Amino acid sequence: MLARPGGEAFDDDNWIFEPKLDGYRAIAEVREGTVKLYSRTGQPFEKTYASIVEALQELGHDAILDGEIVVLNKAGNPEFNLLQKYKKTRSGRLEYYVFDLLFLNGEDTTALPLVQRKQLLETLLDGLPGVTYCQHFTGNGLEFLKLMKEEKMEGMMAKKADSTYTPGLRSSNWLKIKFNETVDALIGGFTEATDSREFGALLLGMFDEAGQLQYTGHCGTGFNRQAIKDLRKQFEPLIVDKCPFEKKPQANAAVTWLKPELVCEVAFTEWTNLGVLRHPSFQRLRDDKLPEDVMMAEERSANLTTAETKPTTKPKNKTTMKNLLDDKNLSHEGKYSILKIGKNEVRLSSLDKVYFPKKGFTKGDVLDYYIQMADYILPYLKDRPESLRRTPDGAAGDKDFFQKDINFKVPEYAKTVQFYSEGAEKEIDWLVCNNLETLLFMVNLGTIEINPWNSRTQDPEHPDYAAIDLDPGPQTDFGQVVETCLVVKEILDGADIPGYCKTSGGRGLHIFIPLGGKYDYDQARDFIKSIMLQVHHRLPKITSLERSPSERKAQIYLDYLQNKQGQTLVAPYSVRPREFGTVSTPLEWREVNERLKITDFDLKTVPERVHKIGDLWKSVLGKGLDMEKAIEKMLVEA
């Protein structure tokens, strides 16, 4: 189980806090006195750390342990440099700090809450030389981090007290909180030195979701003379003629390119808006990390996304109801307000009608929201048949119905298309929303929520994306929805499948996978089902493939059946007819954590957010994945 970056320390009685140990992660399997000790990449440790193996042979139980191998310095603190030298010198106090128990005497313990696993573990390890139970604090993370700083540790681990153990997954139930910001990077080349050194600076990179090596900066500090000599020797067999980065970085000296196989850890101050490290300083090589594990840091992606999507000019639609009034584009005719947009006129009514009593949002506020957001939502509606969820009395009303068949006359600026409806058992007229006028026409009908097809009218049998709907039961804790979503992300990452998350605007989360219109609905459904089966296998207690809500009151429905022609899911940036006026909002993956609150994204907060960071979902409408390759990788991972 892997941890996510945790940001700042916090106090919470539902969390425990452990020291962040500066060593090698190690799993120990003890069966009938025989011990296997290995790294998280499968590298055997038995010969190198024989004293730990000898101690574990006296455990007296069959068990699987998770912990960190360290070498302690004279002050009694872990020191990574001593650990790296241990294989040659055998000097220093070797210690195996064990913090988790995965198996005990024939029983899988991974489904037990963390605190119960640790209680068993503490009793189990009593009296073994060189094998130490990792103590923890409960609740007071701020005080614990202060203690770690006094002890000159590198930080702390925050773990949710009732969390289960999910092997191989990077979960928000485990967070790493460090004093100094560090990151792992691949060395893709080095520059010629201007002095007598063997090289000047390292050229660093990380793999993106497409497997391309992206440049993340130069690193020319943090080395001593010996480190420079040692590194230069390791560079020699990796020298290549071709630049390994997707885009050739600029350098202020001649560059020697390297096959990106060496992983190093660097400290830095921040990510710049161009997605490179500011003031990186070399810390050490990480021979316990695999090159393919060095994926784009979430913080780097977030800064780069903001830099790339932040508007350099005023967004097209800064229009609001207020400035439409100021521009005298609004006139009145009886009970109607006539809004003029170009050559077209949209008839609006009951602008002061309260749609969301708890927030005081009116129908006019909803129209105002869609005017501001038109440039962002229209690309996901254009050329798609729409299912209108009409709520004419607002979120508190009892009139709520879906309308697919537009069996009435529509204005000239609006468009309808005919497709067969299984529910109606006939051809019906679907509304298509290709412009702001049609969008406002729909909203004026009481359509707070908009649900488009996954495919377009030009090619109705081939969806542009596949949808995963994580639909919680009435008794499901939202933290479990987040946990499930992150398991989906781990599975997608393992098979290099791009996935984009958004809030449902209700209680769930959605993940969309771009297909580029290359596959039909049956292929999309079967593909998503295969992913959902893996998710359910990993989280059998909190997820379900059972469609009936009565059969899964406390479980999350892994809905893959949304991938069907005519089946619709709420559009990104659509308002939902919920009491707080929430919006189905695209998220950065770093936002999908225990602190995520769906109510933070409503029709007043979302326009400012999106005008600032841009559309996080542009790639959903891109060329799409190669499904065959993705399936092959999933089979390998499984």
Side-chain angles (χ1 to χ4, degrees):
M1 185 167 175
L2 306 175
R4 291 183 175 273
E8 297 181 357
F10 57 92
D11 289 341
D12 192 322
D13 290 339
N14 296 314
W15 289 71
I16 69 169
F17 304 95
E18 298 171 343
K20 184 166 190 326
L21 299 164
D22 200 7
Y24 286 153
R25 184 80 175 272
I27 297 290
E29 295 185 15
V30 185
R31 299 181 188 274
E32 298 181 353
T34 300
V35 178
K36 289 183 179 179
L37 186 67
Y38 51 89
S39 72
R40 57 176 287 250
T41 60
Q43 178 182 346
F45 280 160
E46 291 91 354
K47 291 182 179 180
T48 307
Y49 308 116
S51 62
I52 293 174
V53 173
E54 291 171 5
L56 290 172
Q57 287 172 344
E58 304 302 319
L59 185 64
H61 297 272
D62 289 353
I64 299 178
L65 312 175
D66 192 355
E68 194 96 357
I69 295 174
V70 301
V71 171
L72 305 180
N73 59 23
K74 292 180 180 179
N77 294 327
E79 189 171 320
F80 193 80
N81 287 335
L82 294 177
L83 180 62
Q84 286 188 310
K85 296 175 183 177
Y86 184 84
K87 189 173 182 179
K88 292 182 179 179
T89 65
R90 289 295 192 271
S91 62
R93 180 183 157 194
L94 189 69
E95 201 78 20
Y96 181 37
Y97 280 92
V98 184
F99 48 71
D100 219 321
L101 176 67
L102 317 187
F103 178 89
L104 179 63
N105 296 332
E107 298 293 333
D108 181 352
T109 58
T110 57
L112 294 176
L114 173 60
V115 288
Q116 289 187 24
R117 301 197 305 271
K118 293 204 70 172
Q119 286 171 358
L120 291 170
L121 185 61
E122 186 173 15
T123 304
L124 187 68
L125 296 180
D126 189 34
L128 290 179
V131 179
T132 302
Y133 169 73
C134 186
Q135 300 284 348
H136 64 267
F137 270 30
T138 299
N140 199 334
L142 294 172
E143 181 182 342
F144 188 72
L145 190 66
K146 182 179 178 182
L147 176 63
M148 292 297 97
K149 194 165 189 175
E150 292 172 356
E151 294 291 330
K152 297 183 178 179
M153 303 291 282
E154 67 168 5
M156 73 177 184
M157 300 296 299
K159 299 179 180 180
K160 201 168 184 184
D162 63 355
S163 61
T164 59
Y165 188 101
T166 50
L169 300 183
R170 192 172 298 281
S171 170
S172 61
N173 288 328
W174 285 16
L175 305 174
K176 49 186 175 183
I177 300 171
K178 304 168 77 172
F179 297 120
N180 299 313
E181 196 75 39
T182 66
V183 71
D184 293 332
L186 288 161
I187 303 173
F190 61 89
T191 62
E192 184 178 324
T194 57
D195 54 20
S196 59
R197 299 197 316 179
E198 280 79 357
F199 62 86
L202 306 179
L203 275 65
L204 306 176
M206 298 174 182
F207 288 121
D208 63 17
E209 291 184 345
Q212 299 290 332
L213 187 66
Q214 300 294 340
Y215 171 70
T216 56
H218 282 59
C219 177
T221 63
F223 317 100
N224 56 36
R225 285 284 179 181
Q226 189 59 49
I228 290 175
K229 289 180 180 180
D230 292 343
L231 282 169
R232 188 61 183 83
K233 288 179 182 177
Q234 296 188 61
F235 292 162
E236 199 62 36
L238 300 177
I239 293 175
V240 293
D241 294 329
K242 186 179 178 182
C243 171
F245 298 97
E246 183 192 23
K247 294 180 181 178
K248 187 176 180 179
Q250 292 183 341
N252 56 9
V255 177
T256 301
W257 303 114
L258 299 175
K259 189 175 181 181
E261 292 187 356
L262 292 177
V263 181
C264 68
E265 182 180 2
V266 293
F268 65 104
T269 55
E270 64 178 348
W271 288 102
T272 73
N273 284 338
L274 295 177
V276 299
L277 299 164
R278 191 185 300 281
H279 305 140
S281 174
F282 179 83
Q283 302 295 296
R284 60 201 180 193
L285 285 179
R286 294 302 306 246
D287 52 8
D288 59 326
K289 300 287 183 75
L290 295 173
E292 55 264 34
D293 288 340
V294 183
M295 298 294 292
M296 200 76 81
E298 291 178 352
E299 296 87 348
R300 189 260 187 191
S301 298
N303 278 25
L304 187 57
T305 298
T306 301
E308 288 179 339
T309 60
K310 187 174 181 179
T312 54
T313 58
K314 190 176 181 181
K316 292 179 186 177
N317 256 306
K318 273 292 189 178
T319 310
T320 65
M321 288 292 290
K322 183 179 184 302
N323 63 38
L324 281 173
L325 282 167
D326 292 343
D327 292 341
K328 299 180 180 180
N329 289 320
L330 198 65
S331 59
H332 301 278
E333 182 182 300
K335 67 176 182 178
Y336 290 103
S337 299
I338 312 300
L339 179 60
K340 188 172 183 180
I341 303 174
K343 296 180 180 180
N344 296 317
E345 293 183 343
V346 183
R347 298 169 68 85
L348 307 174
S349 62
S350 306
L351 300 184
D352 294 330
K353 189 172 188 176
V354 177
Y355 267 10
F356 299 93
K358 285 198 173 182
K359 302 288 284 190
F361 299 155
T362 65
K363 182 178 180 180
D365 289 327
V366 177
L367 286 161
D368 192 14
Y369 169 83
Y370 279 114
I371 289 169
Q372 293 184 70
M373 294 297 295
D375 284 337
Y376 298 103
I377 191 172
L378 282 173
Y380 303 97
L381 307 180
K382 187 178 180 182
D383 296 329
R384 301 178 192 279
E386 315 291 345
S387 177
L388 312 185
R389 185 176 182 181
R390 296 180 61 180
T391 317
D393 291 333
D398 56 4
K399 295 178 183 178
D400 184 349
F401 61 97
F402 282 90
Q403 181 162 15
K404 299 180 180 180
D405 189 6
I406 306 301
N407 53 6
F408 52 84
K409 186 178 179 180
V410 299
E412 291 183 1
Y413 53 72
K415 176 185 176 183
T416 60
V417 293
Q418 273 201 350
F419 285 110
Y420 185 80
S421 167
E422 289 186 1
E425 297 183 343
K426 64 176 183 179
E427 297 279 338
I428 64 172
D429 292 315
W430 299 76
L431 187 65
V432 176
C433 182
N434 287 352
N435 51 45
L436 174 60
E437 296 94 307
T438 305
L439 178 60
L440 299 184
F441 168 70
M442 292 160 55
V443 177
N444 190 62
L445 292 173
T447 306
I448 294 176
E449 175 184 313
I450 306 169
N451 296 264
W453 279 23
N454 293 5
S455 55
R456 307 183 198 219
T457 56
Q458 298 93 326
D459 191 2
E461 295 183 358
H462 293 86
D464 292 300
Y465 42 76
I468 296 172
D469 181 8
L470 303 181
D471 184 10
Q475 300 172 12
T476 304
D477 177 71
F478 183 66
Q480 294 177 327
V481 180
V482 169
E483 180 182 357
T484 303
C485 188
L486 293 174
V487 169
V488 174
K489 177 72 160 58
E490 295 289 348
I491 291 170
L492 299 184
D493 287 349
D496 294 330
I497 300 170
Y500 300 85
C501 182
K502 68 180 176 73
T503 68
S504 68
R507 297 181 62 245
L509 293 171
H510 299 155
I511 303 102
F512 280 27
I513 298 171
L515 300 179
K518 295 183 286 189
Y519 307 96
D520 62 31
Y521 274 101
D522 287 344
Q523 290 171 307
R525 183 195 62 235
D526 292 345
F527 179 60
I528 297 302
K529 183 178 180 180
S530 67
I531 296 172
M532 294 299 90
L533 287 170
Q534 289 192 49
V535 175
H536 182 55
H537 178 72
R538 296 189 188 190
L539 299 173
K541 291 188 176 181
I542 66 171
T543 65
S544 173
L545 296 168
E546 175 59 54
R547 190 171 180 81
S548 172
S550 63
E551 299 296 324
R552 50 177 178 84
K553 291 182 180 179
Q555 292 177 303
I556 298 159
Y557 176 41
L558 305 175
D559 190 356
Y560 58 88
L561 296 176
Q562 297 289 353
N563 299 284
K564 179 182 178 183
Q565 185 176 325
Q567 192 74 25
T568 59
L569 203 59
V570 62
Y573 307 117
S574 172
V575 184
R576 298 295 303 275
R578 301 297 180 103
E579 57 182 345
F580 295 108
T582 47
V583 171
S584 182
T585 308
L587 301 170
E588 297 170 343
W589 276 108
R590 66 188 180 92
E591 296 178 289
V592 184
N593 57 49
E594 292 291 333
R595 296 177 181 81
L596 176 63
K597 292 182 180 178
I598 286 183
T599 52
D600 286 344
F601 307 99
D602 64 31
L603 59 87
K604 290 296 185 181
T605 62
V606 167
E608 182 180 353
R609 166 188 166 89
V610 176
H611 288 146
K612 180 179 179 182
I613 68 174
D615 182 10
L616 299 177
W617 263 39
K618 284 182 178 179
S619 297
V620 170
L621 300 179
K623 64 179 182 179
L625 84 167
D626 185 323
M627 190 181 291
E628 290 78 10
K629 286 185 179 179
I631 291 171
E632 288 178 7
K633 288 186 178 181
M634 280 199 297
L635 291 173
V636 171
E637 288 293 320

